[in-house]
């Protein structure tokens, strides 16, 4: 599942492709992918709009739009990839028959190229919303984990540290992969109670969050064995090779050599080293 570094990679790759361009055709064949409106409403809101910039908050991509009419005001195309969503670059003058299986939305651009939204599991979505700030639909999210860093630590919470990191209302952008990697980098057990975090441990977690997410962005994100995350041109991310714990059960810890242990935390798989993490 794409997390902050994968969406940031997509944002950076889309900047030269989209900014200054205009959407000339919008075809939504997958109703679930545009479920906050009807396909024709979605198409009307996007057709002929020009892209003025691209932002990101947590795992959400925010494509800023203008026009085509003065009265339209500023709008935002929000994109969330969820489990298996991909945004792929369509070659110049590609037809619908050229789109991969599970393409639910096709966006044509005024230079003849376009974008395909591909999503086998159909949990991902796109919608157009008014304004150029953070969309109202994203009001529940905490600060961005990379741009803003971790907010003050909730020492009153009795859930595990990883569960806090994964809580998008606390901090936005961290998922299962980077939750494991951040905890290992900080030397903190994924299931240590948030209430038992000491000041030095919180400081290490803060530093680890910035380091791990920064390195993952530089490496263009992580592609796991399922191959579900790829970039705009279909290439895998390079950070999977740098994972120290995630999906490495039984393999030696890169710090101490003891085997990495897999466990279930809050109903999801987690990985850690019992020696290096306390
Ligand atoms: Zn270790």
């Amino acid at each position: 599942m794409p997390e902050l570094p994968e969406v940031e990679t997509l944002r950076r790759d889309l900047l030269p492709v989209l900014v200054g361009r205009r959407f000339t055709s919008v075809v939504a064949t997958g109703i679930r992918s545009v479920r906050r409106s009807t396909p024709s409403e979605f198409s009307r809101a996007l057709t002929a709009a020009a892209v003025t910039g691209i932002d990101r908050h947590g795992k959400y991509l925010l494509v800023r739009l203008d026009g085509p009419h003065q009265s339209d005001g500023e709008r935002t195309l929000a994109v969330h990839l969820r489990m298996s969503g991909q945004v792929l670059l369509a070659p110049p003058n590609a037809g619908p028959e050229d789109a991969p299986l599970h393409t639910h939305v096709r966006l044509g651009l005024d230079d003849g190229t376009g974008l395909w939204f591909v999503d086998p599991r159909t949990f991902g979505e796109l919608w157009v919303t008014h304004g150029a700030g953070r969309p109202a639909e994203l009001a529940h999210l905490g600060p961005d984990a990379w741009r803003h860093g971790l907010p003050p630590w909730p020492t009153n919470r009795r859930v595990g540290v990883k569960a806090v990191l994964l809580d998008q209302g606390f901090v936005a952008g961290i998922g299962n992969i980077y939750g494991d990697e951040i905890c290992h980098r900080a030397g903190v057990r994924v299931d240590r109670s948030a209430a038992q975090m000491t000041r030095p441990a919180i400081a290490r977690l803060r530093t680890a969050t910035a380091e791990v997410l920064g390195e993952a962005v530089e490496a263009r994100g992580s592609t796991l064995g399922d191959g579900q995350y790829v970039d705009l041109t279909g290439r895998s991310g390079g950070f999977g090779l740098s994972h120290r714990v995630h999906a490495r059960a039984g393999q030696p810890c890169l710090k101490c050599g003891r085997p990495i242990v897999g466990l279930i935390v809050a109903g999801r798989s987690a990985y850690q080293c019992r020696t290096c993490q306390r």
Side-chain angles (χ1 to χ4, degrees), residues 131-240:
R134 194 203 291 195
E137 296 88 344
L138 273 54
H140 63 288
L141 296 178
D144 186 77
W146 188 44
R147 222 169 47 249
H148 306 124
L150 292 185
W153 188 256
T155 41
N156 57 337
R157 289 185 64 174
R158 303 204 171 275
V159 296
V161 169
K162 186 179 171 188
V164 173
L165 293 178
L166 263 54
D167 175 358
Q168 302 298 299
F170 171 68
V171 67
I174 301 171
N176 218 24
I177 297 174
Y178 299 104
D180 284 341
E181 294 299 320
I182 289 167
C183 286
H184 182 265
R185 186 82 61 107
V188 169
R189 269 191 1 251
V190 290
D191 52 348
R192 175 167 165 180
S193 168
Q196 286 173 353
M197 286 288 279
T198 60
R199 235 184 243 227
I202 294 166
R204 291 201 310 274
L205 200 66
R206 209 172 279 290
T207 305
T209 299
E211 283 181 4
V212 168
L213 294 178
E215 290 169 23
V217 167
E218 286 310 307
R220 302 180 56 78
S222 301
T223 302
L224 298 179
D226 60 15
Q228 277 184 335
Y229 167 72
V230 292
D231 70 11
L232 205 51
T233 57
R235 289 173 303 176
S236 297
F239 193 67

Side-chain angles (χ1 to χ4, degrees), residues 90-128:
N93 307 311
E97 68 283 359
D98 300 315
L101 194 65
H102 306 299
T103 299
H104 304 306
V105 181
R106 302 193 309 273
L107 305 174
L109 294 167
D110 58 0
D111 64 349
T113 64
L115 298 175
W116 288 323
F117 182 72
V118 181
D119 189 7
R121 300 188 63 181
T122 71
F123 290 109
E125 62 168 329
L126 301 85
W127 79 96
V128 179

Side-chain angles (χ1 to χ4, degrees), residues 184 253 255-258 273 275-276:
H184 182 265
C253 171
K255 205 166 157 198
C256 74
R258 291 196 173 81
C273 172
T275 308
C276 296

